[in-house]
Amino acid sequence: QEQLVESGGGLVQAGGSLRLSCGASGRTFDAFAMGWFRQAPGKERAFVAAISGSGATTYYADFVKGRFTISRDNAKNTVYLQMNSLKPEDTAVYYCASYNSYYRSVSARPAYWGQGTQVTVSS
């Protein structure tokens, strides 16, 4: 069983930046890919970004490419999501997730989820 705890959400103006963090515990952190998802009101949860166990491979949804950066510090068991040039449509609850594989699997859902952190972007 893995526990994931997000932090770093908040209210920011359009064009601003936020950095989300997710601390993990309960299993070998660098053996598994990590990801970020988001869910806006009335919408389904959507993939945002993911990173392989070593951090060498990253994956992004088209709508965040060039604006968001995922990274991880395996010594701290933490994954980050740096969000720049935020837009009102980025407003959502952001969830950290852990896969049961070293690389992100498009077909398999993550095995573990955090509780989510609210990001609100004002226009």
Side-chain angles (χ1 to χ4, degrees):
Q1 188 80 10
E2 186 170 31
Q3 292 76 46
L4 304 173
V5 180
E6 303 99 333
S7 61
L11 173 64
V12 63
Q13 289 189 333
S17 299
L18 281 175
R19 188 176 82 154
L20 305 183
S21 300
C22 173
S25 61
R27 62 176 185 171
T28 304
F29 183 69
D30 61 3
F32 302 99
M34 299 292 294
W36 288 95
F37 290 71
R38 71 186 189 186
Q39 188 166 19
K43 296 189 177 181
E44 293 187 353
R45 193 170 297 189
F47 170 77
V48 174
I51 188 166
S52 63
S54 69
T57 304
T58 55
Y59 317 79
Y60 294 97
D62 287 343
F63 55 80
V64 302
K65 282 182 180 177
R67 299 190 298 125
F68 292 9
T69 302
I70 188 171
S71 61
R72 65 191 295 161
D73 185 338
N74 286 343
K76 296 182 177 179
N77 284 11
T78 301
V79 62
Y80 305 97
L81 185 68
Q82 178 67 44
M83 305 185 294
N84 298 329
S85 302
L86 283 161
K87 305 175 182 180
E89 51 263 44
D90 294 318
T91 296
V93 177
Y94 283 72
Y95 296 91
C96 175
S98 177
Y99 292 85
N100 268 344
S101 56
Y102 188 81
Y103 293 101
R104 176 216 179 192
S105 172
V106 175
S107 59
R109 295 279 289 175
Y112 301 100
W113 296 88
Q115 81 288 351
T117 186
Q118 177 70 46
V119 171
T120 303
V121 184
S122 63
S123 57

